[in-house]
Amino acid sequence: MPKAPHIVVIGGGYAGVLAANRLQKAKDAIITLINPRPEFVERIRLHQMAAGNHSATAGYDTLLGEQVRLLVDSALRIDAPIRQVQLASGDVVDYDYLLYAVGSTGGVPSSVPGAAEHAHPLSEFEQAQRLRERLQDVPMSAPIVVVGGGLTGIEAAGEFAESGRAVTLVTDVVGASLGVQARRSVVKALTRLGVTIVDGPDVLVTSVGATEVTLADGRTLPSAVTVWTTGFGVPGLAAASGLTTDELGRLITDETLTSVDDGRIVAAGDAASPSGIPLRMSCQAAGPMGVQAADTVLARIAGTEPAVLNQAFTGQCVSIGRTYGTVQIAHSDDTPRRVYIGGRVGAAVKEQVCKATLTFMAKEGRKPGSYFWFKGRNRARQLAEAGKDTVGAARR
């Protein structure tokens, strides 16, 4: 009788959990999910956690299927030739197939003087925890500056302002990924909550101090707490393991999400770069990538040809406090349509999306194969424009 395959999933975020649950379709497989934290982190709620109105966590016992074993540890290195993962605890885990879903990280730029010492990023659980503790140390009247007008910056500014804090949002464009109409909706909601917006094409933070933020034009903004929400990175595990990565450190794969170095390593989520043309870092992209990466592993086990990446974007949701929100409807290639949902209805839709995300993950754990996602032809167009074929796979 052939040995049951051992599939190791590194990373217990949106992509990793869905992938692990999907892999239960291989009834005899042994599935191990390696994650440094004992609880699932709802990254899309970290701004709420920092503001003190949500834990931003969920128990893995409510999300993972019975066939999935959770191993709380950190992966330090992947030894692909001998199929082993070295852990921070000193243990090693052997695998037959590896699913790489380590997600993304956030930080502050070393090029901005004072940012590393005084600014608080908001992309990881521990970062949100430190920011929450810092906010508890300063009076409600203390000024807060949020740097970055993307979705994270908008949500942080709105959440803090609604709690009664004095917030200034500093950015070149508020909601640059949104359409013009949706941006107006966001600005209107932020203004209602009392957020001061300092924006413009030449707005640039040049230094961060303990009590102020300095802009390129010489203006100084008072800031007892500075929140930095621009820029994302990825963990360095793939690069440290000698695997091929892009300039940001994402694992380069073919269109079946298989590593170009090793046919038994498959990647999904923010840390994957299929054909060197990654999808937008987001929960919306990570989930479908997770199940498609799992399907690739299942095909390899079954000895069949895996399908190529096929998913479409539907839009972007942003909450602005608990009262307002904006839902940008998008084309399948992630470009914004003119249609959006704003105000209180937008906030209600965003909240339902957050709740539904966990619901779908848990359902996949109970019933592997139940998760569905939207598909489209935009990926093929992207590849054609880049002069790449639809698979481009390397097998070793």
Side-chain angles (χ1 to χ4, degrees):
M1 180 178 294
K3 180 175 73 75
H6 185 200
I7 311 169
V8 170
V9 180
I10 303 179
Y14 297 101
V17 168
L18 276 166
N21 284 341
R22 185 73 157 211
L23 288 166
Q24 293 178 113
K25 292 182 72 176
K27 299 297 184 183
D28 62 339
I30 301 168
I31 306 164
T32 300
L33 176 66
I34 300 173
N35 192 67
R37 306 178 188 91
E39 291 184 301
F40 176 81
V41 175
E42 288 188 79
R43 290 186 67 178
I44 54 179
R45 291 193 187 273
L46 286 179
H47 59 288
Q48 290 182 250
M49 176 192 169
N53 60 34
H54 202 284
S55 69
T57 59
Y60 277 115
D61 59 336
T62 67
L63 298 176
L64 294 175
E66 294 181 355
Q67 200 176 333
V68 182
R69 177 178 75 103
L70 175 66
L71 176 58
V72 180
D73 211 329
S74 297
L76 296 183
R77 180 177 172 81
I78 300 164
D79 199 335
I82 60 173
R83 298 179 197 159
Q84 276 189 346
V85 179
Q86 299 171 12
L87 304 176
S89 63
D91 292 337
V92 297
V93 178
D94 297 311
Y95 66 85
D96 294 299
Y97 294 91
L98 179 72
L99 205 149
Y100 187 82
V102 298
S104 57
T105 61
V108 295
S110 58
S111 58
V112 178
E117 295 82 7
H118 303 295
H120 293 264
L122 186 56
S123 296
E124 301 177 48
F125 179 80
E126 291 78 11
Q127 294 171 349
Q129 199 169 42
R130 287 191 291 270
L131 175 56
R132 178 175 178 172
E133 292 169 357
R134 174 59 183 153
L135 288 171
Q136 291 172 343
D137 285 342
V138 300
M140 290 295 292
S141 59
I144 296 174
V145 170
V146 177
V147 181
L151 302 191
T152 302
I154 291 167
E155 292 191 319
E159 209 73 36
F160 301 151
E162 191 176 64
S163 68
R165 293 188 177 275
V167 180
T168 299
L169 179 64
V170 177
T171 184
D172 52 353
V173 179
V174 177
S177 62
L178 307 176
V180 174
Q181 294 82 3
R183 284 182 216 159
R184 290 175 184 154
S185 171
V186 168
V187 170
K188 182 178 180 181
L190 288 171
T191 302
R192 281 179 177 174
L193 292 176
V195 176
T196 299
I197 299 174
V198 177
D199 63 343
D202 299 322
V203 170
L204 181 69
V205 173
T206 55
S207 68
V208 179
T211 59
E212 77 287 322
V213 169
T214 303
L215 305 183
D217 61 7
R219 281 181 291 174
T220 298
L221 306 175
S223 179
V225 182
T226 301
V227 184
W228 200 281
T229 68
T230 66
F232 285 94
V234 298
L237 177 60
S241 301
L243 299 170
T244 302
T245 63
D246 66 10
E247 67 283 352
L248 195 64
R250 291 172 288 215
L251 183 67
I252 293 185
T253 74
D254 62 26
E255 285 299 294
T256 70
L257 298 176
T258 304
S259 166
V260 296
D261 300 308
D262 193 309
R264 288 179 179 259
I265 298 178
V266 180
D270 291 353
S273 182
S275 302
I277 307 175
L279 280 67
R280 172 169 59 86
M281 288 182 173
S282 63
C283 164
Q284 183 179 170
M289 287 181 77
V291 295
Q292 290 176 91
D295 285 346
T296 290
V297 173
L298 294 170
R300 299 258 186 263
I301 293 171
T304 59
E305 188 65 27
V308 297
L309 180 64
N310 186 349
Q311 66 188 75
F313 285 92
T314 58
Q316 299 179 58
C317 301
V318 55
S319 62
I320 305 147
R322 299 296 88 207
T323 307
Y324 307 111
T326 297
V327 179
Q328 172 69 70
I329 310 301
H331 296 281
S332 63
D333 65 355
D334 206 26
T335 56
R337 296 178 183 268
R338 293 176 61 88
V339 182
Y340 76 94
I341 303 169
R344 296 179 185 274
V345 177
V349 172
K350 169 64 190 293
E351 179 60 24
Q352 289 307 307
V353 168
C354 291
K355 291 179 177 178
T357 300
L358 293 187
T359 299
F360 291 145
M361 292 167 68
K363 184 179 179 182
E364 184 68 20
R366 297 189 304 270
K367 188 179 179 182
S370 62
Y371 185 85
F372 70 92
W373 69 97
F374 294 98
K375 301 178 182 179
R377 299 178 180 177
N378 51 289
R379 185 67 186 173
R381 287 197 296 269
Q382 275 186 308
L383 294 171
E385 290 170 1
K388 297 179 181 287
D389 60 35
T390 57
V391 181
R395 298 286 176 264
R396 293 180 186 174

